[in-house]
Amino acid sequence: MIDPKLLRTDPDLLRRAQAARGESVELVDELVSADEARRSAIASFETQRAEQKDLGKQVAQAKGEEKAALLARTKELAAGVKAAEAASNEAGAKFDELIKQLPNPVFDDVPRGGEDDFVVVETIGTPRDFAAEGFTPRDHLELGEMLGAIDMERGAKVSGSRFYFLTGIGAQLEFALLNLAMAKAMSWGFTPVIPPALVKPSAMEGTGFLGQAAQDVYHLPADDLYLVGTSEVALAAFHSDEILDAASLPLQYVGYSPCYRREAGSYGKDTKGIFRVHWFDKAEMFVYCDPADAEAQHQKLLGYEKEFIQALEIPFQVLEVASGDLGLSAARKYDCYGWLPTQDKYREITSTSNCTEFQARRLNIRMRDGDGVRSVATLNGTLCAMTRTIIMLFENHQQADGSVYVPAALRPYLGGLDYLRPLG
């Protein structure tokens, strides 16, 4: 959640941020009123409670008629204190309910607009000209079947639509990508983590995934647990309710976990193959840092993503996401879109978000330095989403005979293979 002081010192900043997101500006006005009502109710309760305590001391020293009068006043005041406490709790609950609905304020220089209003920051690499090479590229599913790497039919038989098996070289390729990702992440100073894929509601709410993204979340009602859509959730909640030593920051983790998404709003989209599925595995980077360092850390995460994609020799673009397309927690987000030859366009393969202090406030994660105790900042970034990365490798590195070139960076993790060959 946001710092409540912003409501009192700069509500116009929050109004601008809401307008930039295309969200309700009136919510800020409601929050300002709710904050005033909450503080007024707390002050009333505390005043009456102080008077009640003072009367208690006077009663202990009084005698006779004076004592009787004081006791009568104490009885009257007790009812008032009880009512004031109830009003304070009610005002606090209303404020808490409203402030949880307020997204993280976007930075003023984030591009304005919706899903299609992103800004292309840079283009790296050049897509192959398959026509000049004399053949039409096959899509990833046809290649995956030729290589014995992807089995959609049995995935649907076992689990339903948008499920799959990675088999043979497909499974080996995921392990190779994981090993490459972890080797790079550790060289950058990240601590590897295998986090739980089931989390409590507090973790989901704390990271902002029970807001706009709630429709895509799988919930297990019998256990009141959620299947994560990204290991960001567990990694963010890892230090919940803790005070971190400022000298230990930044803390850098790279988590590997399955990710589960309903894809509720994607009916009819990307139904072929493994581009948009209900489950995939992902290596995710996560950083806790001093808020003053958050923007620099964000650029580092983007740099790591770019380095990994370049190591796989995939042409891609870096996009800055527009304000209206940001999730609840992000103040700024960059996406990397890899070139997909059979669709003749770039498609998303990684993203990295600066969540400033938003998640840390919701999860009660703070730091202690010479100036006292205050909130940290959190950032996240995809290192390798396995299915989409496999798609990019297959389609961009395919050969006319259906074989697939293996980038040099991956070969040590595939027993030195330089090409994946079709089966028999």
Side-chain angles (χ1 to χ4, degrees):
M1 60 188 72
I2 59 104
D3 184 347
K5 290 178 183 176
L6 272 175
L7 285 169
R8 300 161 211 157
T9 60
D10 198 355
D12 284 340
L13 180 150
L14 298 176
R15 292 186 182 101
R16 289 197 307 274
Q18 285 293 92
R21 285 179 174 272
E23 300 284 347
S24 168
V25 174
E26 290 72 25
L27 177 59
V28 178
D29 300 325
E30 290 180 57
L31 266 167
V32 170
S33 297
D35 184 44
E36 290 172 354
R38 176 182 68 110
R39 287 187 292 143
S40 175
I42 290 171
S44 175
F45 167 65
E46 289 178 346
T47 298
Q48 293 184 59
R49 183 78 179 105
E51 185 181 353
Q52 186 183 46
K53 287 181 178 179
D54 186 54
L55 275 175
K57 292 175 184 176
Q58 292 180 45
V59 167
Q61 297 171 357
K63 295 178 181 178
E65 291 182 5
E66 182 188 6
K67 186 167 188 172
L70 287 171
L71 284 170
R73 173 62 183 146
T74 300
K75 190 174 182 180
E76 282 177 23
L77 197 57
V81 168
K82 188 175 182 180
E85 183 177 21
S88 174
N89 290 338
E90 184 180 344
K94 182 178 180 182
F95 176 80
D96 290 344
E97 181 185 347
L98 287 171
I99 203 165
K100 284 178 181 176
Q101 297 172 32
L102 192 70
N104 199 2
V106 300
F107 293 125
D108 281 334
D109 61 343
V110 166
R112 287 342 192 210
E115 184 179 358
D116 298 324
D117 297 307
F118 56 82
V119 171
V120 177
V121 177
E122 60 181 322
T123 299
I124 298 172
T126 304
R128 284 168 62 189
D129 185 346
F130 285 95
E133 293 182 35
F135 74 99
T136 301
R138 299 176 172 91
D139 68 32
H140 75 274
L141 183 55
E142 183 178 356
L143 290 163
E145 289 172 345
M146 292 173 68
L147 296 166
I150 302 171
D151 192 328
M152 297 299 299
E153 185 176 343
R154 289 188 175 93
K157 178 178 71 174
V158 172
S159 302
S161 63
R162 297 188 190 270
F163 285 94
Y164 58 94
F165 283 87
L166 291 182
T167 54
I169 197 62
Q172 291 178 62
L173 188 53
E174 172 160 334
F175 297 144
L177 285 166
L178 173 61
N179 284 319
L180 175 62
M182 287 297 175
K184 281 194 167 291
M186 286 188 287
S187 76
W188 300 326
F190 285 78
T191 299
V193 177
I194 298 179
L198 286 166
V199 298
K200 296 177 180 178
S202 57
M204 291 296 287
E205 185 174 69
T207 45
F209 283 94
L210 292 187
Q212 298 159 321
Q215 67 172 350
D216 275 333
V217 174
Y218 285 102
H219 182 226
L220 281 63
D223 307 284
D224 198 19
L225 292 172
Y226 289 88
L227 287 166
V228 298
T230 166
S231 56
E232 171 194 342
V233 178
L235 293 174
F238 187 52
H239 286 297
S240 56
D241 298 315
E242 293 182 23
I243 298 176
L244 307 174
D245 181 358
S248 71
L249 301 177
L251 293 175
Q252 301 182 123
Y253 300 106
V254 57
Y256 176 67
S257 78
C259 305
Y260 301 93
R261 302 182 184 182
R262 287 189 186 279
E263 295 289 354
S266 64
Y267 182 78
K269 296 179 183 176
D270 299 305
T271 54
K272 187 178 182 181
I274 59 173
F275 188 88
R276 194 180 300 276
V277 288
H278 291 310
W279 148 74
F280 60 96
D281 299 320
K282 177 160 66 83
E284 179 81 3
M285 299 177 288
F286 197 88
V287 175
Y288 298 85
C289 70
D290 186 317
D293 299 329
E295 291 215 54
Q297 288 293 330
H298 198 193
Q299 292 299 321
K300 282 187 177 182
L301 286 176
L302 178 59
Y304 298 147
E305 291 180 348
K306 289 163 58 179
E307 181 178 329
F308 187 76
I309 298 168
Q310 286 176 284
L312 298 178
E313 302 174 36
I314 296 167
F316 69 103
Q317 290 185 327
V318 178
L319 280 52
E320 182 166 6
V321 176
S323 55
D325 197 30
L326 292 173
L328 188 77
S329 298
R332 188 193 307 277
K333 183 168 82 163
Y334 296 104
D335 287 347
C336 291
Y337 275 46
W339 178 252
L340 196 53
T342 57
Q343 293 187 14
D344 198 32
K345 60 182 176 181
Y346 293 93
R347 299 298 304 270
E348 182 186 344
I349 50 175
T350 73
S351 70
T352 176
S353 298
N354 181 357
C355 297
T356 62
E357 301 170 44
F358 186 81
Q359 293 177 331
R361 287 183 178 278
R362 293 164 76 102
L363 292 164
N364 191 30
I365 308 167
R366 295 170 292 166
M367 56 178 273
R368 179 183 282 112
D369 60 12
D371 297 323
V373 176
R374 53 197 173 88
S375 294
V376 300
T378 61
L379 303 97
N380 62 78
T382 313
L383 184 50
C384 184
M386 297 299 167
T387 48
R388 292 197 180 184
T389 305
I390 289 171
I391 288 170
M392 295 292 164
L393 289 170
F394 281 2
E395 293 210 8
N396 282 286
H397 296 321
Q398 63 179 292
Q399 308 300 308
D401 63 356
S403 62
V404 174
Y405 161 80
V406 177
L410 264 183
R411 292 175 194 169
Y413 307 102
L414 280 171
L417 281 178
D418 52 0
Y419 284 89
L420 311 180
R421 306 286 181 184
L423 300 179

